[in-house]
Amino acid sequence: MSKAGARGQDSDSDHLDADLRERLTAMEIKVRKMRDTRGNLNDSAHRSADQRNAMQKRYKEHRELLDEKLAERKAVRDLIAQHKARRNSIQQQMKDLFGRQKSNRDDEKGGRSAAGEYSRLISEISTLEVLMETSGRVSLVKEKEYLNDIKNMRRRIKELEPEVEQFEIVKVDLTDVDAAIATLKAEADISHQAMLEQVEIADGMKDGLDEMFSERDFLKAEGDRLHEEFVSEKEKANAVHEKIADLMSQVTEIRGELEAQRKERKSWMTEHN
């Protein structure tokens, strides 16, 4: 190759080399800026993640406290339901007694009161048992009669129990219906007052719980917002990272071209020499 040809090739090579180096420099500057941008986006994403985690921790602690308060309110409401159910049952018991008061009094005249018969039989059994235990003058025949009577009375008591038990939500003396009704009314009033006291306690909890519900909703919304912010910044950082990867492949390609040109020039110099 002539010296003039070699110089011409060197000139063309230097021009191409300068273009590639200029492109390479511009790309490298762009890559550095994009890396800074990606770093800033990742930092922002990490800050959002830290704030989100802190907010979610606050939300969890607040939710646990709220659950405790709700459990307390549920316990109060359960008491309200219990007192109310007892009051209603006693009032129903009173209603049944009122409804049967007249018929029971009529039955008593004929000796047919279930409550009266029930009480009388229990009393008679007790009397006979005491008599047999304490009296030494009861013959075997008479004792056998007493035992048979006791057996029959107990069978009759068993038959009367379902009818009598319906009046025993509160234990009252069913032989005196008026006194029984008075006792039931007093018991119903006690249950009603107890229910009202628990209602007042439940009402007093309302404002505090409303505030806690508002705080819960705020913490949940803030946690969701910060999470969305984290996801958004991370997606932007990932998008920049993909662009950097694409640009770096071009940088690698240009560097390869420059290296190939350097080897080619070296080869020319070797051949020229």
Side-chain angles (χ1 to χ4, degrees):
M1 181 183 293
S2 65
K3 292 181 179 180
R7 283 195 298 271
Q9 282 188 341
D10 287 342
S11 177
D12 292 341
S13 178
D14 290 343
H15 180 69
L16 179 59
D17 199 26
D19 286 344
L20 288 175
R21 289 187 182 282
E22 185 177 346
R23 285 178 57 200
L24 180 61
T25 299
M27 286 182 176
E28 288 174 338
I29 292 172
K30 187 173 183 180
V31 166
R32 283 197 296 273
K33 290 181 178 179
M34 291 174 70
R35 281 174 175 166
D36 289 340
T37 300
R38 181 186 62 187
N40 291 334
L41 289 169
N42 279 326
D43 289 343
S44 178
H46 291 153
R47 284 193 298 272
S48 295
D50 290 341
Q51 292 173 353
R52 175 204 63 193
N53 294 342
M55 192 64 64
Q56 288 177 342
K57 182 181 179 182
R58 284 180 58 191
Y59 172 80
K60 181 181 178 181
E61 292 171 350
H62 182 78
R63 184 57 189 266
E64 290 173 353
L65 181 59
L66 176 59
D67 287 343
E68 291 177 5
K69 295 298 182 182
L70 289 174
E72 290 176 9
R73 185 179 69 175
K74 183 180 183 302
V76 172
R77 287 180 169 176
D78 288 344
L79 284 175
I80 291 172
Q82 291 172 19
H83 291 312
K84 183 178 181 180
R86 189 170 191 274
R87 180 203 65 187
N88 292 346
S89 296
I90 294 172
Q91 288 176 340
Q92 183 60 47
Q93 186 176 351
M94 289 171 59
K95 182 179 178 181
D96 291 342
L97 278 179
F98 276 125
R100 296 195 178 193
Q101 189 176 36
K102 184 177 183 300
S103 60
N104 280 351
R105 283 174 176 169
D106 291 341
D107 288 342
E108 285 175 359
K109 294 176 183 178
R112 295 190 303 276
S113 169
E117 184 181 357
Y118 184 86
S119 298
R120 178 179 56 79
L121 289 172
I122 290 176
S123 178
E124 288 182 4
I125 288 173
S126 178
T127 300
L128 288 176
E129 288 176 340
V130 170
L131 179 62
M132 287 188 296
E133 290 175 2
T134 59
S135 177
R137 296 190 300 273
V138 178
S139 66
L140 291 177
V141 174
K142 199 65 177 177
E143 183 176 345
K144 185 176 180 181
E145 290 179 3
Y146 287 162
L147 289 173
N148 188 57
D149 290 341
I150 289 173
K151 180 180 177 181
N152 291 333
M153 285 188 284
R154 282 180 174 162
R155 183 173 59 250
R156 178 56 180 162
I157 286 173
K158 198 71 175 175
E159 293 173 355
L160 294 170
E161 280 179 355
E163 186 175 352
V164 173
E165 284 177 355
Q166 66 177 310
F167 297 106
E168 293 189 348
I169 298 168
V170 174
K171 297 294 183 180
V172 292
D173 182 5
L174 296 179
T175 60
D176 188 345
V177 177
D178 290 333
I181 289 174
T183 299
L184 292 174
K185 184 178 185 307
E187 289 293 328
D189 289 343
I190 290 171
S191 293
H192 181 70
Q193 185 59 39
M195 182 195 73
L196 293 180
E197 289 173 1
Q198 295 302 317
V199 168
E200 186 175 352
I201 292 172
D203 290 343
M205 292 177 159
K206 184 178 182 303
D207 291 340
L209 284 171
D210 286 345
E211 290 179 5
M212 293 187 74
F213 280 127
S214 296
E215 179 70 7
R216 178 202 62 183
D217 295 342
F218 168 76
L219 294 174
K220 178 68 166 59
E222 276 296 288
D224 292 344
R225 182 186 68 79
L226 289 167
H227 179 69
E228 291 173 1
E229 190 174 280
F230 159 76
V231 171
S232 176
E233 295 297 279
K234 201 64 181 174
E235 287 177 348
K236 292 176 185 177
N238 291 340
V240 173
H241 178 77
E242 291 178 3
K243 292 179 180 178
I244 291 174
D246 182 60
L247 197 55
M248 283 302 299
S249 66
Q250 297 179 42
V251 168
T252 300
E253 184 179 345
I254 292 175
R255 286 173 178 170
E257 291 182 22
L258 287 171
E259 179 62 20
Q261 288 183 21
R262 186 188 68 77
K263 289 180 179 180
E264 187 176 0
R265 284 200 303 273
K266 185 176 180 181
S267 175
W268 289 343
M269 291 298 294
T270 301
E271 291 177 3
H272 177 69
N273 291 335

